[in-house]
């Protein structure tokens, strides 16, 4: 880990074009653009260097709840209240495909590392896998083990990790056909894996973030001080995994030292729940989204 990693604590741009809550913010693979989705049913693409909006994407009929960007830069996916999964062409800003099948809102979407499979998780408790190379509209697999709303997904080489309101983190080894279930005891709303893939940051509705060892399932650390008991807040780790970043329902962003779990700083910029924080893939920069309708780019 890089002990010299610095906290981005200066507001470079405040983006305010969304009408209503902004539910998600994601960088592209290079970090020169970011995507935001909100209650206003729109997805907006921003240039993170200039702070200028590039395009507004319309297609959702209900609020946008999650966005995932493919590793090959060419596409991104979104899900929301429509109960459908949307696949967009990033360069053209056009809707390429749409899959139906979920019976409730789609809370989470994620690509596999090869960008040929898209995974979606829903309030209907199901996780569905969609083959991007096939013309069929049917999922290639449906995972039905969750007993309550699926809120978070993490997809690695051969594993799919699912966080649910039922308090479980379930990891499916697709290659071996093995399911591992870890009971956290509180609704799971956020999952974020370290860059080396060895640890998983889990956010739950008990005002706590927990870092688990992926192989052994043991608790490595827990991070407290923020308020998160009602709303889904997506947390993240910094570029070198030395910092844990988490939003709070009071509008602040908390930062902890990953190793000793001590708070490093608290950032103030939003006036309502911080719904999502995402760290830049290459630089000491991050973006945050809030129920107050704003998105902040921090340097």
């Amino acid at each position: 880990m890089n002990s010299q990693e610095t906290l981005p604590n200066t507001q470079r741009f405040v983006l305010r074009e969304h009408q209503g809550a902004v539910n998600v913010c994601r960088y592209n693979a290079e970090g020169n653009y970011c995507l935001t989705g909100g209650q206003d049913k729109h997805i907006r693409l921003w240039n993170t260097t200039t702070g200028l909006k590039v395009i507004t994407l319309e297609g959702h009929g209900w609020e946008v709840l999650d966005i995932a960007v493919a590793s090959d830069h060419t596409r991104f996916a979104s899900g929301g209240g429509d109960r459908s999964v949307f696949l967009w062409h990033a360069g053209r800003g056009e809707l390429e495909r749409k899959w139906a099948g979920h019976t409730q809102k789609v809370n989470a979407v994620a690509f596999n590392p090869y960008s040929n499979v898209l995974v979606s998780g829903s309030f209907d408790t199901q996780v569905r896998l969609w083959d991007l190379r096939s013309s069929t509209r049917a999922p290639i697999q449906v995972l039905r083990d969750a007993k309550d709303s699926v809120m978070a997904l993490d997809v690695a080489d051969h594993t799919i990790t699912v966080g649910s309101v039922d308090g479980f983190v379930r990891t499916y080894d697709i290659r071996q056909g093995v399911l591992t279930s870890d009971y956290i005891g509180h609704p799971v709303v956020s999952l974020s894996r370290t860059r080396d893939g060895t640890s998983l940051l889990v956010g739950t509705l008990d005002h706590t973030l927990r870092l688990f060892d992926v192989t052994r399932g043991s608790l490595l650390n827990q991070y407290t001080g923020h308020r998160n008991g009602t709303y889904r807040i997506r947390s993240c780790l910094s570029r070198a995994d030395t910092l844990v970043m988490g939003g709070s329902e009071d509008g602040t962003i908390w930062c902890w030292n990953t190793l000793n779990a001590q708070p490093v700083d608290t950032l103030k910029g939003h006036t309502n729940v911080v719904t999502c924080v995402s760290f830049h893939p290459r630089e000491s920069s991050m973006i945050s989204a809030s129920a107050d309708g704003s998105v902040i780019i921090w340097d």
Side-chain angles (χ1 to χ4, degrees), residues 24 184 216 221 276:
V24 59
I184 310 301
R216 298 190 297 270
N221 245 330
C276 185

Side-chain angles (χ1 to χ4, degrees), residues 206-242:
D206 65 335
H207 317 290
T208 306
L209 295 170
R210 295 173 176 85
L211 188 68
F212 289 94
D213 181 282
V214 169
T215 303
R216 298 190 297 270
S218 55
L219 179 65
L220 300 175
N221 245 330
Q222 54 185 25
Y223 311 89
T224 58
H226 64 303
R227 307 301 300 168
N228 187 197
T230 305
Y231 299 94
R232 174 171 67 167
I233 296 176
R234 294 180 179 89
S235 305
C236 70
L237 292 121
S238 62
R239 181 170 50 92
D241 295 328
T242 63

Side-chain angles (χ1 to χ4, degrees), residues 97-294:
R97 298 179 69 180
K98 185 168 73 170
W99 292 274
H102 285 293
T103 59
Q104 298 288 338
K105 61 184 179 181
V106 177
N107 292 316
V109 289
F111 288 94
N112 72 335
Y114 310 105
S115 300
N116 56 19
V117 174
L118 180 60
V119 185
S120 58
S122 170
F123 191 83
D124 66 11
T125 76
Q126 295 184 4
V127 174
R128 291 177 171 243
L129 281 64
W130 312 92
D131 187 350
L132 304 189
R133 299 164 299 185
S134 171
S135 59
T136 180
R137 293 186 176 274
I140 55 176
Q141 191 170 1
V142 181
L143 309 175
R144 308 176 188 271
D145 299 282
K147 307 306 180 193
D148 207 328
S149 179
V150 174
M151 301 299 288
L153 296 169
D154 177 83
V155 184
D157 269 349
H158 57 275
T159 62
I160 297 172
T161 304
V162 179
S164 171
V165 172
D166 65 12
F168 279 89
V169 173
R170 296 176 174 86
T171 300
Y172 299 84
D173 189 317
I174 302 300
R175 187 174 53 189
Q176 299 184 8
V178 175
L179 168 61
T180 303
S181 298
D182 295 296
Y183 184 57
I184 310 301
H186 303 277
V188 177
V189 294
S190 176
L191 297 173
S192 182
R193 189 178 294 260
T194 54
R195 306 294 178 186
D196 61 10
T198 61
S199 304
L200 186 70
L201 183 68
V202 179
T204 50
L205 293 184
D206 65 335
H207 317 290
T208 306
L209 295 170
R210 295 173 176 85
L211 188 68
F212 289 94
D213 181 282
V214 169
T215 303
R216 298 190 297 270
S218 55
L219 179 65
L220 300 175
N221 245 330
Q222 54 185 25
Y223 311 89
T224 58
H226 64 303
R227 307 301 300 168
N228 187 197
T230 305
Y231 299 94
R232 174 171 67 167
I233 296 176
R234 294 180 179 89
S235 305
C236 70
L237 292 121
S238 62
R239 181 170 50 92
D241 295 328
T242 63
L243 302 173
V244 170
M245 314 298 300
S248 179
E249 290 170 359
D250 63 5
T252 58
I253 300 170
W254 281 66
C255 172
W256 298 266
N257 181 292
T258 304
L259 293 178
N260 63 25
Q262 292 301 305
V264 175
D265 203 353
T266 305
L267 307 180
K268 297 178 175 62
H270 296 289
T271 59
N272 206 332
V273 180
V274 179
T275 55
C276 185
V277 287
S278 295
F279 214 90
H280 195 288
R282 299 175 183 271
E283 302 171 3
S284 290
S285 180
M286 70 175 182
I287 47 178
S288 58
S290 172
D292 67 11
S294 69

Side-chain angles (χ1 to χ4, degrees), residues 50-105:
T50 64
L52 297 176
K53 184 188 71 176
V54 178
I55 192 173
T56 297
L57 303 172
E58 300 180 8
H60 280 275
W62 297 80
E63 66 175 327
V64 180
L65 295 171
D66 199 16
I67 294 171
V69 182
S71 59
D72 63 6
H73 309 275
T74 62
R75 293 175 291 186
F76 66 92
S78 60
D82 310 81
R83 300 178 294 180
S84 297
V85 180
F86 292 66
L87 182 68
W88 305 81
H89 188 283
R92 297 193 300 267
E94 296 176 352
L95 180 64
E96 282 192 348
R97 298 179 69 180
K98 185 168 73 170
W99 292 274
H102 285 293
T103 59
Q104 298 288 338
K105 61 184 179 181

Side-chain angles (χ1 to χ4, degrees), residues 43-56:
I43 297 171
R44 288 180 167 85
L45 175 67
W46 308 86
N47 184 311
T48 56
T49 303
T50 64
L52 297 176
K53 184 188 71 176
V54 178
I55 192 173
T56 297

